[in-house]
Amino acid sequence: MAELMQFEGVIEYLEKLIGLELESINESNDSITILSVDKDKKRYTVDGTSTTKKRSRAFSELQKIWDELLQKGYVSVEQALNGAGSSRHQPETILANLPCIEFFRYEKKKHLYLRSASTHPLSTLKELSLAESRELKKRIDRYRDFDISLFHSEHAKILGGLHKSLENVFVKYPGESDVESINIALSELEELQKKLAISVVSLESEQELIEDSHSMSGRNYEEDEEDDEYKEFFGQVDENKEATQYLVATRISQVTPTVSLLFDRINHNEINLQPEFQRKDRIWPLKDKSRLIESVLLGLPIPVFYFAEDSSSYNDDTAWIVIDGLQRTTTLYDFIAGNFELKFLERRKDLNGFSFKDLARKEQRRIREYQIQGHLIQVSSDSDEMVRELFQRINTSGKNLSYQEIRSALYPGSAIQFLKYIAGSPDFINATPLNINPERMLDLEYVLRAVSYIYNGYENFSYSKYDDFLCKTLKQLNKYTFVESNINSDNIYKNIEASLVKAFRAVKQVFGEGAYRKEPTGKLNKSLFELKISTFAMMSEEQIAFITQNHNAKIIKDELYRMIKTDSKDYAAWSSTSFEAQDRGFEYSISNSTGKSVTIKYRFDSFINMINAKANINLKFKPFNGHKNDY
């Protein structure tokens, strides 16, 4: 069985592949041939066509990929090896030709998937079926969105309650009430177990994965949310327009500061290590930190750094923010500051156990005088579109910056602080339990999406890039003052907060725990979230009170899920003749091409018209921008 196979089994396959032509899973890449395998040196030699030179590679690359396959069941070789081109192509090709590995596309990149048994002959390729690939993508999304820390907290709380109740049972001889409390706790544990189960990335363990290859609507739409996310950032071709605008590069200069200068800048708060967009710093293990210092001591080049500077100042004291290179920056700083000792060095084993102060003067000087290669980006209001694209393009290896991390970097201010405040509020957390992971600012993005419609509306949406719509909201709201839990905030923030709180509570009353899912066990749907929250935010208190009555709430909930299941076309007309001709309905509008103006208008019109028809109210979607003058 593949799941039990040790890495030695991979090496045995490697020897069997010697002399065979191995086809790549990417059609544009050359086929390769393994020439020899040296177990003693733990290396193998591979050759390609005339465009690929013969080279020797280490077993360790394959093992790194294999370990990730065993851990997660799937892997992007490019991300596992932090590289591209031939550094990825050759080990990826070898593993893809193993009989227990198949490949599939996820987020526009090829990935490998580990089967529990052989599914095709050695030295051949096999791609996952469409149904399996679709289901696996959904499973990966759930795996990535699953908040293990929050799960641990909930699990610990329930277990604590169990222990307390059991103590009462066995020590204090309690009555039926404690027996009932144990039953309730066990039921809650079973619910948590279900949430964990749907986050496991596997096609082997559950029969229903393949049986449930269609959506609730019965239509065989392939999930394209990954492509929509990409298009939201980089844009998409409007069917009715020709592209007429081109990006113009912003001011970018080369910088070559020494490590000593980098250290001084951090000490004087001239480098922002925790800008709004950055993920956590200091997450590298000690081995990676030590190898970076070893590279510096050996005089080897390290990857290029990217910094940005504040457009409000142009003098030499301008603070830098780290776009790419946060872990390297903090590692260099922490070593000089004496925060860790070198371990696991291979070339300079004599320095294992040394801190910076233990090094000889010449070694200290070698580190302090080492020049890093960097690019300094001038962020300005007339170049923000170019910078947004640049932020994403330079983060092409490892764990990319999320779109919201990039927005937060470019538009810091009161709007980001407000989003953080809302995302941390009990109403938001209770509205989306155990589903939105705040580590990559996904929670801020959900709030921003709803706020953007509340403030700017949907009827005049005319952006080729959905990201432009969200960034516009940040720029607009940054003009106002927000102070957390303070009466000095401008009224616009007070009004938006009140509307959001009202919407969070009302949506939960009407639609329950699964309010933002297309199906009970599905993942959160961004379109449903922003649609429901922004629409309910437009309701008056009287309309909310009427709709949340049990009878009316059930009618609206049942009708919405009927619209999803049947891909209903009952409540709106498409503004595009091509969409109308393809017989698309509401389910399509929340699942496909979700960032297009025609799709946005259709789903809002459908939802609002349905509520007005079923609840017999006269809800009007009046965005705050241009309709309220009290701020």
Side-chain angles (χ1 to χ4, degrees), residues 265-266 269-276 278 319-322 326:
R265 271 187 168 267
I266 294 173
N269 297 317
E270 294 169 354
I271 291 184
N272 185 358
L273 295 179
Q274 280 294 322
E276 299 288 356
Q278 272 288 14
W320 295 354
I321 58 175
V322 183
L326 180 63

Side-chain angles (χ1 to χ4, degrees), residues 229-248:
E229 283 287 291
Y230 183 88
K231 291 173 183 176
E232 282 181 9
F233 191 89
F234 287 105
Q236 52 196 333
V237 178
D238 191 314
E239 296 169 351
N240 301 314
K241 294 182 181 179
E242 293 185 1
T244 57
Q245 295 182 337
Y246 299 89
L247 296 179
V248 179

Side-chain angles (χ1 to χ4, degrees), residues 58 88 110 133 162 168 177 196 199 201 212 218 238 307 333 358 452 455-456 495 501 548 555 563 572 590:
R88 168 185 61 83
K110 294 288 180 65
S133 178
L162 272 177
N168 289 335
S177 61
L196 179 61
S199 299
V201 180
D212 184 26
D238 191 314
F307 305 99
Y333 178 86
D358 299 325
S452 295
Y455 188 72
N456 284 309
N495 292 333
V501 170
T548 53
I555 291 175
M563 291 167 64
I590 62 173

Side-chain angles (χ1 to χ4, degrees), residues 458-492:
Y458 73 92
E459 292 183 313
N460 295 320
F461 187 99
S462 59
Y463 303 89
S464 60
K465 291 190 291 186
Y466 196 91
D467 187 67
D468 288 344
F469 175 55
L470 302 181
C471 291
K472 176 184 178 181
T473 302
L474 291 175
K475 288 190 286 187
Q476 289 172 319
L477 293 180
N478 273 340
K479 299 175 182 177
Y480 302 99
T481 299
F482 172 73
V483 182
E484 184 175 332
S485 303
N486 191 304
I487 60 174
N488 293 325
S489 294
D490 285 335
N491 284 338
I492 180 59

Side-chain angles (χ1 to χ4, degrees), residues 203-265:
L203 291 173
E204 314 296 343
S205 59
E206 299 177 67
Q207 180 64 28
E208 70 268 19
L209 297 187
I210 305 305
E211 294 173 350
D212 184 26
S213 60
H214 299 280
S215 66
M216 281 185 65
S217 68
R219 303 176 70 93
N220 192 21
Y221 295 133
E222 183 173 6
E223 293 284 345
D224 70 343
E225 196 164 326
E226 297 86 14
D227 289 347
D228 275 344
E229 283 287 291
Y230 183 88
K231 291 173 183 176
E232 282 181 9
F233 191 89
F234 287 105
Q236 52 196 333
V237 178
D238 191 314
E239 296 169 351
N240 301 314
K241 294 182 181 179
E242 293 185 1
T244 57
Q245 295 182 337
Y246 299 89
L247 296 179
V248 179
T250 186
R251 173 188 158 197
I252 305 174
S253 58
Q254 289 188 337
V255 291
T256 56
T258 62
V259 171
S260 181
L261 178 59
L262 210 64
F263 183 85
D264 289 342
R265 271 187 168 267

